[in-house]
């Protein structure tokens, strides 16, 4: 069942024209975690807003070296909410000793530290296939580019 996970009032509708009473306008106020509606997420309007929502940044998991990723403008309790490029994610997660994970067509699947199955879904940002770790509640750190040399690791995946 499709969910538009927005609880404050507006008199606008979603990209898919779902009733937005008591919801926010997904055409203007994009947050990809607030819906699982495929029609919204595959629309050109949604994709353009999504591309503008994320910005390039450096993140690292635990005490590992930083990697280029796309990050959201907000944090979760001060922790980064990254999307890792698909071309980098499996190697980086292996190097960090990240949970046992499996890469599938719909995302990266793993069992969290709490024993719960989790998925970092596959999404496209600025033409780059990524895995969205922004909603899993993981403790990702951010790094400053002047501290760690940035490399061109966010090029589109083949």
């Amino acid at each position: 069942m499709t969910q538009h996970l927005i609880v404050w009032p507006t008199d606008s509708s979603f990209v898919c024209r779902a009733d937005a009473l008591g919801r926010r306008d997904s055409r203007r106020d994009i947050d990809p975690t607030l819906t699982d509606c495929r029609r919204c997420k595959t629309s050109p309007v949604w994709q353009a807003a999504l591309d503008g929502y994320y910005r390039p940044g450096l993140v690292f998991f635990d005490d590992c070296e930083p990697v280029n990723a796309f990050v959201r403008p907000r944090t979760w309790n001060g922790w980064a909410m990254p999307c890792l490029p698909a071309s980098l994610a499996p190697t980086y997660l292996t190097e960090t000793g990240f949970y046992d994970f499996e890469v599938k067509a719909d995302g990266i699947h793993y069992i969290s530290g709490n024993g719960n199955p989790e998925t970092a879904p596959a999404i496209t940002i600025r033409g780059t296939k990524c895995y969205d770790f922004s909603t899993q509640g993981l403790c990702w750190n951010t790094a400053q580019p002047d501290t760690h040399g940035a490399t061109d690791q966010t090029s589109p995946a083949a």
Side-chain angles (χ1 to χ4, degrees):
M1 181 173 164
T2 297
Q3 296 182 48
H4 291 94
L5 306 174
I6 303 172
V7 295
W8 41 92
T10 180
D11 53 6
S12 299
S13 66
F14 285 89
V15 171
C16 68
R17 303 289 181 221
D19 176 18
L21 187 59
R23 294 177 167 90
R24 180 170 57 179
D25 184 351
S26 65
R27 293 170 296 179
R28 289 178 300 175
D29 198 3
I30 294 296
D31 185 334
T33 65
L34 296 178
T35 186
D36 65 0
C37 176
R38 289 184 184 185
R39 286 186 64 198
C40 284
K41 286 188 169 187
T42 59
S43 75
V45 172
W46 184 275
Q47 189 63 51
L50 182 68
D51 288 348
Y53 184 76
Y54 283 94
R55 62 178 170 72
L58 288 171
V59 299
F60 59 100
F61 191 69
D62 290 339
D63 294 326
C64 298
E65 286 296 312
V67 65
N68 284 331
F70 291 102
V71 294
R72 307 168 102 197
R74 68 177 197 205
T75 61
W76 170 74
N77 291 338
W79 300 106
M81 301 169 72
C83 290
L84 300 181
S87 60
L88 303 173
T91 302
Y92 185 73
L93 295 176
T94 299
E95 290 173 2
T96 65
F98 189 79
Y99 307 104
D100 288 335
F101 65 91
E102 184 178 358
V103 178
K104 296 184 178 182
D106 67 336
I108 291 182
H109 296 255
Y110 62 98
I111 303 296
S112 73
N114 297 330
N116 298 323
E118 301 282 350
T119 301
I123 65 170
T124 301
I125 301 171
R126 300 180 186 178
T128 301
K129 180 180 179 183
C130 297
Y131 298 111
D132 186 0
F133 286 90
S134 67
T135 61
Q136 275 67 46
L138 298 170
C139 299
W140 291 90
N141 297 288
T142 56
Q144 297 303 317
D146 53 59
T147 309
H148 299 278
T151 60
D152 185 23
Q153 297 179 31
T154 55
S155 60

